[in-house]
Amino acid sequence: MTAPSPSTSRRHDIDALRTLAFALVIVYHVAMYYVADWHWHIKSPHAAEWLQAPMRALNLWRMDLVFLVSGLALGLVRRGQTVAGLVRLRSMRLLLPLAFGMAVVVPYQPYAQGVANGLIAPGFGAFLLRYYGGGTWPAGAFDGWEAGVTWNHLWYLPYLWVYTVVLALLLPWLESARGQRLRRAFTGLRGWALFAVPVLPLVLYSVLLWRHFPPTHDLIHDAWLHAVYFTLFLYGYWIGLDAGLWAELVRLRWRLLGAALALLVLFTVLRGLAVQQGGWPARTAVRVLADLYLWSMLLAILGWAHHRLNRPWPWLRWAQEAVYPWYVLHQTAIIVLAVALARWQLGPVLEPMLLLAGTVLACWAVTGLVRPSRWARPLFGLPPRGAVPASPVPGSTAGTPPAQGLQNP
């Protein structure tokens, strides 16, 4: 593969990886409507057990990839920003869309879930009056009923904001001589040390925290996920554009992919045995195996993305701006369309196809209205028109990223 010119080329693979990571989230949430025995806001009568295996294979790393890419993006916009300026910029890009999304985009989701559960009377207008008025709800009416309001799929935004603030506060140490030595030790890992060393904290979290802190996405009681996601966020920040590390990921891409697939098979077999036998020691061992699969898959994805995606794809410029509005909109679009399509009883083949196509069309249409609007753009995390920064060029180093980097929610 011919190396792009440092003076003229973008890191298209990073842009594309960010876009594809969020596209995967959208497809995953469509499938959540259909996968059998997994809790979601509403469920289809066409639930399928066969979806569990591929969904589980994705679920073990999909959000981990998103937080890794988000940390990478933060590292690329670091240079030229003070700590206060960095926090202020990210707060506007994260908290304003969160507030707008919770007030305008999300409310139909708890309404539909409450009606489906038989605990909220039909009538969206009456629901909104009660929702905005701080009313109480029957137990289990919808996810987040205890707080009265919910952020549902937008939980990623407050998590990312907290991680950004924590990392910003750590920047004086991270950019000190000792912090830079630690980063160089990380980016200097080669061969199987690149697989074995960074996964150790993830294994430690599984042994110490996983049993006691199951995922909640409520920000407060999510110690295990916070430990995992922040560590991967920090890894992404460290990786940046370190040429040696990216070259090593490309060199190892086949071995990492093979290891990930082998670990997935082993995880699937041992998970079935652990479920049958029960007991926390066996389940914790399987969880540790999931960590090994997770990290090997993330490394394989980075290596293959750099090898195959570092080119100016025709769709990439548009997708860079569309990805954040699509993330904000997609789950409400899925639920609105799922409720509407359920009346037609279209069956387990045609209905999912229409649901996915309709979600894509709805996100595309609304984003087309948002992008030219000066007042709507900040509500969906977009910078002012004409102010979208360019992605860093390959010649930049991770320790001193250029002032203009990826815009990532």
Side-chain angles (χ1 to χ4, degrees), residues 18 31 39 53 61 85 88 94 119 122 153 155 187 200 204 215 222 268 271 279 293 321 350 362 372-373 387 395 400:
R18 169 179 170 255
H39 172 77
W61 54 262
R88 182 169 59 251
L94 295 171
L119 297 174
H153 70 290
W155 64 268
T187 57
L200 292 178
L204 183 63
D222 239 357
T268 303
R271 180 183 177 277
Y293 162 66
E321 277 210 315
L350 181 58
S373 172
T400 56

Side-chain angles (χ1 to χ4, degrees), residues 74 81 83-101 157-158 160-162 164-165 324 328 374-384 407-409:
L74 183 69
Q81 294 280 354
V83 171
L86 187 65
V87 171
R88 182 169 59 251
L89 173 66
R90 307 315 278 174
S91 296
M92 285 295 296
R93 297 285 172 83
L94 295 171
L95 298 185
L96 182 58
L98 174 64
F100 172 76
L157 298 180
L160 182 56
W161 181 80
V162 170
T164 300
V165 171
Y324 201 162
V328 172
R374 184 175 63 181
W375 63 267
R377 288 177 64 87
L379 301 178
F380 289 88
L382 299 179
Q407 291 304 309
N408 192 291

Side-chain angles (χ1 to χ4, degrees), residues 151-203:
W151 48 45
N152 277 357
H153 70 290
L154 299 181
W155 64 268
Y156 162 74
L157 298 180
Y159 279 52
L160 182 56
W161 181 80
V162 170
Y163 302 161
T164 300
V165 171
V166 172
L167 193 142
L169 294 176
L170 292 175
L171 281 177
W173 184 85
L174 290 173
E175 295 176 351
S176 68
R178 184 175 297 180
Q180 286 298 304
R181 284 197 298 270
L182 182 60
R183 176 195 158 270
R184 286 193 296 271
F186 177 85
T187 57
L189 293 171
R190 296 293 183 264
W192 287 108
L194 183 57
F195 167 77
V197 175
V199 79
L200 292 178
L202 308 184
V203 170

Side-chain angles (χ1 to χ4, degrees), residues 111-390:
Y111 166 72
Q113 185 177 5
V115 171
N117 290 339
L119 297 174
I120 293 177
F124 189 44
F127 170 83
L128 287 179
L129 290 176
R130 186 175 175 185
Y131 190 76
Y132 293 143
T136 57
W137 305 98
F142 56 83
D143 295 346
W145 66 271
E146 304 92 334
V149 297
T150 181
W151 48 45
N152 277 357
H153 70 290
L154 299 181
W155 64 268
Y156 162 74
L157 298 180
Y159 279 52
L160 182 56
W161 181 80
V162 170
Y163 302 161
T164 300
V165 171
V166 172
L167 193 142
L169 294 176
L170 292 175
L171 281 177
W173 184 85
L174 290 173
E175 295 176 351
S176 68
R178 184 175 297 180
Q180 286 298 304
R181 284 197 298 270
L182 182 60
R183 176 195 158 270
R184 286 193 296 271
F186 177 85
T187 57
L189 293 171
R190 296 293 183 264
W192 287 108
L194 183 57
F195 167 77
V197 175
V199 79
L200 292 178
L202 308 184
V203 170
L204 183 63
Y205 305 150
S206 290
V207 172
L208 298 180
L209 300 175
W210 173 68
R211 175 182 176 182
H212 305 288
F213 298 96
T216 64
H217 296 158
D218 68 357
L219 191 65
I220 305 301
H221 306 96
D222 239 357
W224 172 60
L225 280 186
H226 282 317
V228 173
Y229 288 158
F230 182 76
T231 298
L232 293 171
F233 182 69
L234 177 62
Y235 287 174
Y237 179 82
W238 273 341
I239 289 171
L241 298 176
D242 187 274
L245 182 57
W246 283 102
E248 183 69 356
L249 291 171
V250 171
R251 187 182 73 85
L252 295 175
R253 66 189 186 280
W254 278 111
R255 277 174 276 183
L256 290 166
L257 181 59
L261 295 177
L263 287 166
L264 177 60
V265 172
L266 185 60
F267 165 82
T268 303
V269 173
L270 295 184
R271 180 183 177 277
L273 296 175
V275 169
Q276 293 175 4
Q277 295 177 0
W280 280 109
R283 295 191 178 193
T284 301
V286 173
R287 177 60 246 176
V288 169
L289 191 60
D291 294 326
L292 302 180
Y293 162 66
L294 176 162
W295 182 238
S296 60
M297 182 58 76
L298 291 183
L299 293 177
I301 289 171
L302 293 179
W304 279 101
H306 190 48
H307 180 63
R308 290 292 187 182
L309 298 179
N310 196 19
R311 63 189 69 178
W313 301 95
W315 48 266
L316 194 52
R317 186 177 181 86
W318 173 86
Q320 281 182 278
E321 277 210 315
V323 62
Y324 201 162
W326 281 49
Y327 163 71
V328 172
L329 294 165
H330 78 276
Q331 187 160 290
T332 296
I334 292 170
I335 292 178
V336 168
L337 290 169
V339 171
L341 291 172
R343 304 169 188 169
W344 295 89
Q345 299 182 357
L346 298 174
V349 177
L350 181 58
E351 183 187 275
M353 294 173 60
L354 290 177
L355 181 58
L356 180 58
T359 300
V360 170
L361 182 61
C363 292
W364 174 80
V366 176
T367 300
L369 298 175
V370 168
R371 292 184 67 203
S373 172
R374 184 175 63 181
W375 63 267
R377 288 177 64 87
L379 301 178
F380 289 88
L382 299 179
R385 293 285 294 179
V388 181

